[in-house]
């Protein structure tokens, strides 16, 4: 902080007096100031650039084939997970997901009860808020979050976790057909039938939607989502992630 204050003080003196306090001529002072400005802006831009490059690399390395899940006998048996329905279908992603999991694990808490306790204190990006709510309000279950899974890993791990009696939520791109818009949200996988190419997801809007395997992967990878510059930075710094899932166990 002191370095930044000193820097702006130098700029002030440079423009007001044509020289710094130590009497340094304007030419030399200007040259040093330009270098300092360049360094101050270069460092964060470079960090974000490196992170973004890492995100692109993850996108490339995780975008693998997943035909095996529909052809192998290991995934032929359909699996189901019974997910409680939402009482209030106007809730936000993290609150809705917390209500659903709490009911699934027999320690129910509603979105309204959470909201009364939080009073809007945690309204960050939906992934961060969701993790905070899970950590704070889920009592009778544990969870593991996995991000940046390959397509095959995502489909395979969801299948086996549900088959073993667990529940799985994923972050995905959701289409609002009324508004004709796409948004980020959370959905719970309630059934998988790879033979029939059908994955049913209960969305945080309280609506169940059936995806083909291709459409499901496109949604969890946000392939069709028109990402804003802020969200691109969010993906770069790890606030958002493709093929992100929460695996719940009682």
């Amino acid at each position: 902080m002191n370095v930044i204050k000193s820097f702006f003080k130098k700029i002030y003196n440079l423009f007001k007096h044509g020289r710094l306090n130590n009497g340094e001529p304007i030419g030399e002072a200007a040259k040093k100031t330009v270098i300092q400005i360049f360094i101050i802006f270069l460092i964060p831009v470079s960090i974000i650039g490196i992170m973004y490059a890492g995100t692109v690399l993850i996108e490339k390395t995780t975008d693998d084939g997943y035909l095996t899940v529909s052809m192998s006998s290991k995934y032929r048996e359909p699996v189901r997970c019974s997910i409680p329905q939402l009482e209030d279908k106007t809730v936000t992603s993290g609150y809705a997901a917390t209500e659903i999991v709490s009911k699934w694990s027999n320690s129910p808490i509603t979105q309204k009860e959470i909201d009364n306790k939080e009073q809007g204190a945690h309204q960050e990006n939906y992934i961060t808020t969701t993790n905070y709510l899970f950590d704070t309000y889920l009592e009778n279950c544990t969870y593991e979050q996995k991000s940046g899974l390959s397509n095959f890993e995502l489909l395979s791990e969801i299948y086996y976790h549900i088959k073993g009696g667990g529940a799985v939520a994923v972050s995905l791109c959701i289409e609002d057909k009324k508004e004709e818009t796409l948004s980020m949200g959370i959905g719970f996988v309630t059934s998988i039938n790879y033979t029939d190419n059908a994955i049913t997801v209960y969305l945080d809007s309280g609506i169940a939607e059936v995806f083909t395997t291709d459409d499901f992967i496109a949604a969890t990878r946000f392939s069709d989502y028109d990402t804003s510059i802020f969200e691109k930075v969010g993906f770069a710094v790890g606030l958002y992630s493709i093929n992100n899932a929460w695996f719940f166990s009682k």
Side-chain angles (χ1 to χ4, degrees):
M1 184 61 71
N2 290 333
V3 173
I4 295 175
K5 286 182 179 179
S6 175
F7 169 70
F8 283 107
K9 187 176 180 180
K10 286 181 180 179
I11 293 179
Y12 172 78
N13 288 326
L14 181 62
F15 283 98
K16 185 175 181 179
H17 306 295
R19 60 183 60 242
L20 301 180
N21 287 338
N22 61 7
E24 187 176 17
I26 188 169
E28 289 299 317
K31 185 186 296 184
K32 290 182 179 179
T33 301
V34 169
I35 293 173
Q36 288 177 328
I37 292 174
F38 180 74
I39 292 174
I40 286 174
F41 284 98
L42 179 63
I43 292 174
V45 169
S46 298
I47 292 173
I48 292 175
I50 292 170
M51 289 181 172
Y52 182 74
T55 301
V56 172
L57 180 62
I58 290 173
E59 288 180 356
K60 296 294 184 183
T61 56
T62 61
D63 194 13
D64 59 344
Y66 45 87
L67 190 61
T68 305
V69 296
S70 60
M71 299 183 65
S72 173
S73 58
K74 294 190 298 183
Y75 306 98
R76 190 167 297 164
E77 178 187 352
V79 295
R80 284 178 168 74
C81 177
S82 180
I83 292 295
Q85 305 295 293
L86 285 168
E87 294 179 8
D88 182 355
K89 296 183 180 181
T90 62
V91 297
T92 56
S93 296
Y95 287 79
T98 304
E99 178 179 321
I100 290 171
V101 181
S102 70
K103 291 179 178 179
W104 174 80
S105 59
N106 300 315
S107 55
I109 185 169
T110 65
Q111 179 266 344
K112 187 175 291 185
E113 290 171 327
I114 297 173
D115 197 36
N116 288 338
K117 293 181 178 182
E118 294 296 324
Q119 297 184 348
H122 291 270
Q123 295 294 335
E124 303 166 44
N125 78 82
Y126 80 105
I127 296 292
T128 303
T129 299
T130 298
N131 287 336
Y132 164 78
L133 295 173
F134 286 165
D135 291 337
T136 305
Y137 294 102
L138 296 183
E139 297 180 354
N140 294 338
C141 70
T142 58
Y143 78 93
E144 180 181 6
Q145 181 188 9
K146 296 183 180 182
S147 300
L149 294 169
S150 72
N151 298 333
F152 177 77
E153 287 173 336
L154 181 70
L155 295 172
S156 177
E157 292 196 29
I158 290 175
Y159 179 87
Y160 280 115
H161 195 75
I162 291 178
K163 188 175 183 179
V168 180
V170 295
S171 55
L172 73 173
C173 179
I174 297 174
E175 179 182 8
D176 187 330
K177 295 180 180 178
K178 289 184 179 180
E179 299 293 333
E180 296 184 348
T181 58
L182 297 173
S183 61
M184 294 181 178
I186 297 173
F188 287 81
V189 180
T190 59
S191 70
I192 297 175
N193 189 330
Y194 288 135
T195 303
D196 290 345
N197 195 24
I199 301 174
T200 305
V201 180
Y202 185 68
L203 304 175
D204 53 31
S205 58
I207 299 171
E209 186 170 336
V210 180
F211 293 81
T212 65
T213 307
D214 287 345
D215 288 343
F216 179 77
I217 289 297
T220 59
R221 296 185 67 84
F222 298 95
S223 299
D224 298 325
Y225 187 66
D226 187 14
T227 312
S228 70
I229 183 63
F230 299 105
E231 287 161 339
K232 287 183 187 295
V233 173
F235 275 102
V237 301
L239 296 178
Y240 311 115
S241 179
I242 60 174
N243 287 358
N244 174 74
W246 294 269
F247 297 84
F248 302 94
S249 302
K250 294 181 182 178

